[in-house]
Amino acid sequence: VRFRSCDGNKKIHFGSSEPEDFRVGEDGVVYAERSFQLSAEPTEFVVSAQDKETQEEWQMRVKLTSEPTFAGASEKVQKKIEDIIFPWQQHKHSSPLKRQKRDWVIPPINLPENSRGPFPQELVRIRSDRDKSLSLRYSVTGPGADQPPTGIFIINPISGQLSVTKPLDREQIASFHLRAHAVDVNGNQVENPIDIVINVIDMNDNRPEFLHQVWNGTVPEGSKPGTYVMTVTAIDADDPNAQNGMLRYRILSQAPSSPSPSMFTINNETGDIITVAAGLDREKVQQYTLIIQATDMEGNPTYGLSNTATAVITVTDVNDNPPEFTAMTFYGEVPENRVDVIVANLTVTDKDQPHTPAWNAMYRMTGGDPTGRFTILTDPNSNDGLVTVVKPIDFETNRMFVLTVAAENQVPLAKGIQHPPQSTATVSITVIDVNESPYFVPNPKLVRQEEGLLAGSMLTTFTAQDPDRYMQQTSLRYSKLSDPANWLKIDPVNGQITTTAVLDRESIYVQNNMYNATFLASDNGIPPMSGTGTLQIYLLDINDNAPQVNPKEATTCETVQPNAINITAVDPDIDPNAGPFAFELPDTPASIKRNWTIVRISGDHAQLSLRIRFLEAGIYDVPIVITDSGNPHASSTSVLKVKVCQCDINGDCTDVDRIVGAGLGTGAIIAILLCIIILLILVLMFVVWMKRRDKERQAKQLLIDPEDDVRDNILKYDEEGGGEEDQDYDLSQLQQPDTVEPDAIKPVGIRRLDERPIHAEPQYPVRSAAPHPGDIGDFINEGLKAADNDPTAPPYDSLLVFDYEGSGSTAGSLSSLNSSSSGGEQDYDYLNDWGPRFKKLADMYGGGDD
């Protein structure tokens, strides 16, 4: 059905007066909603069209009759197939005054998805009005024909019949855009191509699918009806603009059903879940499970397809329960002077969800602690309040505390809760008396005293007090803890301090005129306790030190110019017992004032110079008398060692060698001695290192036992041959007997020859790569046996030729030894046990009388 409108852009919504039987799509196609049998009379219903913007509505009555099913029905249907004719156009031979006719707009072809056939199913027939005079060939191109997916649409090239070859799926491809062509037998284009649009009509062949099978949401307890909880969403692969893809939601079940079986509702179009009843209480029901159903066909339970999902709604906690103390009074005790000690645990109960701001408790003291000696911390695991001491408590001042505490949550109570926002309790804390340390008063104690106080003089009394007034214990005992210069002692009973040496302000143990000593006071309590006190002695200066000259040595030239030596007076005392100083030369010996003169240039400095024009080079001791400004004055005679030398025009000494020869300074002597000592140490270290290396080398050699060394070694010994003629022999023959040269090519003088007998080589046992330790003994025995039976192994039975030493030996005959006769008396049977090498001797001597 179509409604004509002057404005083709209007958005029209179609409706049916019989929605249970007929449905009208957005494109005007009428579908049967169910299977039913048509009667002989026409079935009538009204199709309405409504403008979505202006709400203007039109109606049209539709009559539906049954189609006859006689034998020629298919032929009738075949005749009803629509023909699509190529639009007429101006040909080349026509008159140029005729304009070309505008192309037709071919209406789209609607084809339902999932058609059951039979296939190929004829759709339309493409025809040209020139097929009467020409033999034409028809073809279609585009996706679905000659482009992927290919072969869905085919066309009869002669008749132009367009057909579909298989069922279509709108969810894969919603429409096909084809182009039809008409050519002659030679392939020449006869008509302009026309566009054919084939729309796949949606069928309700897909169930709704939820994006998640399980949806999770939260809602605060105590929420009012209409509170938004969550949104569930399902999608349908069918056309969302048609009823096939229009979903509706509803709640099938709720578990648990308390306090009401309908605590929630869902917007059937958007899927928003909201509360519809009051009474959500996390302490009673912590979670609800809803079964949500989504149905297409706008929720039609008869024709729509459905699917379900689960919505899990967790009831979140709000602070609707305040903390409550488990007791009205809590008790604790604490030793005095202890800090950071937990004295009591305050326990509360809270029905809200643990470890949330609505459950976490905060404690505060509302009374009983005006000085702030306690604080209450919260245990994050147990939610208990820990009463802790933060300031020392004195038993003698406070023996008991009664605290008033309150507990409340981190967040305020929810509105409308009738309970009080906090709970209160009382904490009774008892202070335990302990033995405390004595303390000196004052500490530190300052004493001003002139230096020079003699030993045995009473200086001051330094005593301590015991804070334990309620403990019965004896008096305190005093002792010295620190006395760097060992100047003081203290009476152990009364704390009187006397000197044991003279007090000296110039001592190294005095800093900024202050000397510090530390003393200890101990009681006899249980346990014994002690306290320390510091005595500060401010030493006043007296004029007990005479000034000295500085430096002690100086250098000057033989002539008057340049001839000045700057000296400084040094006095350990301080003002007014120090400078300004007076400098002068003594009267004796007379040569001092005759050769030298001294002039003060400031309160602490003076200048020494030659009085005469020339003084012979050398070392001179010049005494200088220095007097301070103390009352009474203190003076001393200091000797300045002056080196007089020849100088150049710049005033530098030129006879350094003579002055150095006269004597070396202490620093130079020490440097020379250090160099000598370092050199000796290096030599000693080198000697020790050489000896250690020799010992290591000897130790490495001793690691191999000579008897166990199985390597082939040539050990050279001193040989005592037969004279000078018996010295020409080749020792290489002993090392490699296998490479003996023939007699014909031996050089003259080789007189000794070991000849290896020619025999077959025996087979020695072969040791495996990793033998078992138990096989080593067998391997050695087998090798020994093979070597004993090897006639080719050295030493060989050979002929040894020696040089003739001449006749006329002074030695007598050896035949008198009668070795043959003596041999008969001995038993040589043991030679048979010595192996094959001794077989010849065994046959000669062990064979009996024969």
Side-chain angles (χ1 to χ4, degrees), residues 479-533:
S479 60
K480 185 173 63 174
L481 186 62
S482 173
D483 183 11
N486 199 21
W487 286 346
L488 309 173
K489 70 176 181 179
I490 187 170
D491 188 280
V493 178
N494 57 23
Q496 190 177 69
I497 298 175
T498 56
T499 61
T500 59
V502 178
L503 303 184
D504 185 8
R505 192 198 65 84
E506 290 75 30
S507 172
I508 60 174
Y509 302 104
V510 178
Q511 302 293 331
N512 298 325
N513 302 333
M514 191 75 70
Y515 179 76
N516 294 324
T518 306
F519 297 92
L520 186 71
S522 305
D523 61 18
N524 61 345
I526 301 175
M529 301 298 292
S530 61
T532 60

Side-chain angles (χ1 to χ4, degrees), residues 730 732-733 736-747 750 753:
D730 187 7
S732 64
Q733 304 304 320
Q736 298 179 350
D738 292 345
T739 60
V740 176
E741 299 177 357
D743 292 341
I745 61 175
K746 286 185 179 296
I750 301 301
L753 175 63

Side-chain angles (χ1 to χ4, degrees), residues 48 103 198 306 434 439 445 450 483 505 516 604 607 614 621 669 691 713 750 755 843:
S48 61
D103 290 348
I198 301 175
S306 302
V434 297
Y439 59 92
K445 183 176 183 179
E450 281 189 355
D483 183 11
R505 192 198 65 84
N516 294 324
D604 297 338
Q607 197 172 68
F614 176 81
D621 292 334
I669 296 175
K691 289 185 178 182
N713 295 323
I750 301 301
E755 296 180 357
D843 293 339

Side-chain angles (χ1 to χ4, degrees), residues 192 317 371 402 437 466 498 561 611 633 770 801:
N192 287 334
D317 186 38
T371 57
V402 179
S437 301
D466 194 338
T498 56
Q561 296 295 336
R611 181 183 292 271
H633 300 294
V801 180

Side-chain angles (χ1 to χ4, degrees), residues 720-730 747-753 799-807:
E720 297 180 0
E724 296 179 356
E725 297 179 356
D726 195 21
Q727 300 300 320
D728 193 6
Y729 49 83
D730 187 7
V748 180
I750 301 301
R751 308 295 297 169
R752 187 172 295 176
L753 175 63
L799 177 63
L800 303 181
V801 180
F802 297 90
D803 286 349
Y804 180 69
E805 295 183 355
S807 59

